Amino acid sequence: DSGTFLGLGTVTGSVAIHIAFSLQRLYYVKEAHGIVVTDVAFVPESRPGRELLGGHEAALLSVAVDSRCKVHLLPTRRSLPVWLLLLLCAGLIVATILLLQLAFPGFL
C-alpha cells in the first residue's frame, strides 16, 4: 500500500516479501500453498489494518487456485540507533589506538 514492500506469489505455491527499492528478500515460505498462487495483496495501512498487524511491519494475503487464503506476517525489523553506532565506532577507534600503543611503545 505504501510502496515499501513487494509481495510475490509463485507457480510452485511459494510466497515472498521483498524490499521494493533493493529487492532484498525479507520473508519467504516455500510452498505455502500446494498449487499456483493467483493473487497477493498487502493489508492496507488503515486503522483496521493496523489492528490486524499488531506488532508486525506488514501483512500479506495470498490466494491460491484451491481458493485458500493465507496471511503472512512480516516481523518488525530491528535496527541500531545512529548514536549507538557512532558510539561503537568511537570505542573501536580508541581500542585500536590503545592496542597499537601497547604493541608499539612510543607510537604516539
Side-chain angles (χ1 to χ4, degrees), residues 40-61:
V40 292
F42 283 98
V43 173
E45 295 180 0
S46 60
R47 179 173 290 175
R50 283 191 298 268
E51 289 174 6
L52 177 65
L53 287 175
H56 296 87
E57 195 165 357
L60 180 72
L61 301 171

Side-chain angles (χ1 to χ4, degrees), residues 26 29 34 54 89 92 107:
L26 297 175
V29 177
C89 289
L92 183 62
F107 176 70

Side-chain angles (χ1 to χ4, degrees), residues 63-85:
V63 180
V65 171
D66 59 3
S67 299
R68 286 193 294 168
C69 181
K70 293 190 177 184
V71 177
H72 306 274
L73 296 171
L74 180 64
T76 303
R77 294 174 285 160
R78 298 181 188 255
S79 61
L80 291 174
V82 174
W83 65 268
L84 182 58
L85 184 62

Side-chain angles (χ1 to χ4, degrees), residues 15 30-31 34 50 54 60 64 70 73 79 88 96-99:
V15 175
K30 184 176 182 178
E31 298 175 359
R50 283 191 298 268
L60 180 72
K70 293 190 177 184
L73 296 171
S79 61
L88 290 173
T96 303
I97 291 172
L98 290 175
L99 285 174

